[in-house]
Amino acid sequence: MHELALMEGMVQGIQEEALRQGFSRVHQVRLEVGRLAGVEVEALRFAFGPATEGTVCEGATLEILEVPGRGRCQACGREVGIQARFDLCPLCGEGFVALTSGTEMRVKDLDVD
Amino acid sequence: MCTTCGCGGGEPKLDGQPHAHAHAHDHGPPRPGRRRVSLEQNLLAKNDALAALNRQAFAERGILALNLVSSPGSGKTTLLEQTILLLKGRVPVVVIEGDQQTSQDADRIRAAGAPAVQVNTGKGCHLDAHMVGHALESLAPAAGSVLMIENVGNLVCPAAFDLGEAHKVVILSVTEGEDKPLKYPDMFAAADLMLLNKVDLLPHLRFDVDRCLGYARRVNPGIRILHVSAQTGAGMEAWLAWIEAGRREALAARAMAQA
């Protein structure tokens, strides 16, 4: 349950960005979260409210774009989608999959004024 | 293709199927009077930047920092106490203790003879780089020390938070399930060393050691594994040798940087 800490860190980063880029209110935050990032999307949503209280993000909507897990099988070399981080390749069943996406957790952009 | 999020054209497919995408987000441009600011900011960026500062401070002082992680009850604190006693006179050890509440662990560590700072995380489930940075200020470890950071007992959250350590050391006791590495793969993947603790209890348990080690290597083929019992002292010499080797490396790297 480190989702609250993640949201608090995110809001801090956005506050700093607000000073740098000169905006005072955030209307929407878009977040990319990989399905294999080890965080619960619902818990992020739940934590967003308390984490934004009294900040430039208060009252903003949170959009979460989920990114599926993908990678290259180390045995057969094919590009595959995987459901869990340490699953074997779903095509050949032999190799581990070196991830190319699915573990990201980043703020993509903000709608501000 | 949607020009704001990129979905709708050539997006990744899951097992050959288009991924479910509720499209709840607004695909249009921002409303009049508002602008869109691109950030691409990692959620852990703040923590990672502070962790980098800690790592730099460790490097400058030739300090070996270890982040000890496990479930509650794996025997971390007892292992630490014994480690401190055995290293007495060989290596200076300082400790940061992370727990949600109480200073009981730091008291135990001080009684074993090492300076310790207790960090109470309150509602928090893990230590972060910021807490460790402040704990370092009050500990002020001497050059060439070994810093043991005993993280909050939790096999989930501490995996995500870099503290600036040289290595994560995961402790798994044989009184837990042998499938823990599969159930909590992130932690076992993040660790460089696994200590299988309480091995003196093996004769009394149905714990399949080979299966457990197989699971650990499945999620982390490069993980080093040592069998120990903090209670009887079995295997402790190998653990101490691993620490001393790491400390020599940290000191050598410092000497190189100063040369």
Side-chain angles (χ1 to χ4, degrees):
Chain A
M1 272 303 293
H2 51 298
E3 284 81 357
L4 181 61
L6 289 173
M7 286 290 97
E8 286 171 345
M10 176 188 83
V11 170
Q12 258 185 39
I14 293 175
Q15 297 264 85
E16 286 165 18
E17 201 63 25
L19 291 176
R20 262 198 298 274
Q21 301 213 28
F23 56 84
S24 55
R25 188 161 148 65
V26 177
H27 296 277
Q28 176 179 269
V29 178
R30 291 203 304 174
L31 203 57
E32 285 180 325
V33 179
R35 294 231 170 88
L36 314 181
V39 292
E40 284 297 325
V41 164
E42 283 318 307
L44 289 177
R45 285 189 210 286
F46 185 76
F48 184 71
T52 54
E53 261 173 45
T55 73
V56 292
C57 294
E58 186 163 354
T61 56
L62 176 67
E63 293 288 356
I64 295 180
L65 313 173
E66 288 191 66
V67 183
R70 277 200 80 70
R72 186 173 294 281
C73 172
Q74 301 295 283
C76 71
R78 283 178 284 187
E79 275 273 321
V80 291
I82 57 167
Q83 309 284 348
R85 205 165 147 189
F86 301 98
D87 280 357
L88 293 174
C89 171
L91 297 181
C92 73
E94 297 276 316
F96 289 105
V97 177
L99 292 178
T100 50
S101 72
T103 58
E104 48 276 89
M105 280 195 290
R106 61 173 170 250
V107 182
K108 185 173 170 60
D109 53 33
L110 311 168
D111 284 1
V112 303
D113 64 21
Chain B
M1 188 178 91
C2 163
T3 52
T4 43
C5 79
C7 73
E11 78 267 33
K13 289 186 170 63
L14 202 56
D15 293 337
Q17 300 297 314
H19 67 281
H21 198 315
H23 283 101
H25 56 286
D26 179 12
H27 272 164
R31 285 199 227 152
R34 295 181 188 170
R35 62 192 163 109
R36 185 157 286 167
V37 178
S38 181
L39 266 193
E40 302 293 337
Q41 181 193 70
N42 191 302
L43 285 201
L44 287 164
K46 188 108 198 151
N47 184 74
D48 290 348
L50 292 170
L53 290 178
N54 292 345
R55 188 164 279 122
Q56 189 187 337
F58 298 143
E60 281 165 6
R61 289 187 251 175
I63 290 170
L64 172 69
L66 302 176
N67 182 358
L68 275 60
V69 291
S70 78
S71 343
S74 67
K76 273 200 304 301
T77 311
T78 303
L79 180 83
L80 255 181
E81 285 175 318
Q82 292 308 310
T83 303
I84 290 162
L85 291 171
L86 292 166
L87 285 176
K88 199 165 278 179
R90 284 158 72 173
V91 175
V93 179
V94 297
V95 177
I96 296 173
E97 277 290 338
D99 279 301
Q100 286 196 315
Q101 302 286 344
T102 87
S103 63
Q104 292 179 10
D105 280 1
D107 298 342
R108 283 174 62 184
I109 295 302
R110 286 187 204 110
V117 167
Q118 179 80 47
V119 178
N120 285 133
T121 56
K123 63 181 162 47
C125 49
H126 58 271
L127 290 174
D128 63 32
H130 183 234
M131 300 172 190
V132 167
H134 281 301
L136 270 181
E137 285 166 14
S138 58
L139 264 181
S145 299
V146 173
L147 169 66
M148 303 278 198
I149 306 168
E150 184 179 341
N151 217 314
V152 178
N154 176 347
L155 275 178
V156 184
C157 311
F161 290 82
D162 184 9
L163 305 178
E165 72 275 358
H167 307 283
K168 283 191 179 68
V169 177
V170 64
I171 297 140
L172 177 64
S173 62
V174 297
T175 51
E176 304 170 55
E178 60 249 302
D179 53 358
K180 279 244 165 108
L182 287 189
K183 287 179 170 168
Y184 302 95
D186 291 338
M187 189 61 90
F188 288 84
D192 293 320
L193 175 69
M194 167 173 152
L195 296 178
L196 188 67
N197 193 21
K198 308 189 189 179
V199 290
D200 55 306
L201 296 178
L202 279 172
H204 311 288
L205 302 167
R206 267 179 296 177
F207 182 93
D208 188 332
V209 173
D210 288 339
R211 175 177 286 182
C212 178
L213 304 191
Y215 289 153
R217 293 200 171 102
R218 182 170 156 196
V219 300
N220 183 349
I223 197 167
R224 290 258 334 247
I225 300 171
L226 298 174
H227 299 211
V228 299
S229 165
Q231 204 68 249
T232 66
M236 289 295 279
E237 272 308 317
W239 157 234
L240 300 182
W242 185 87
I243 295 171
E244 289 187 306
R247 178 176 176 253
R248 279 194 299 273
E249 262 174 50
L251 284 170
R254 177 183 181 236
M256 291 270 286
Q258 285 176 344

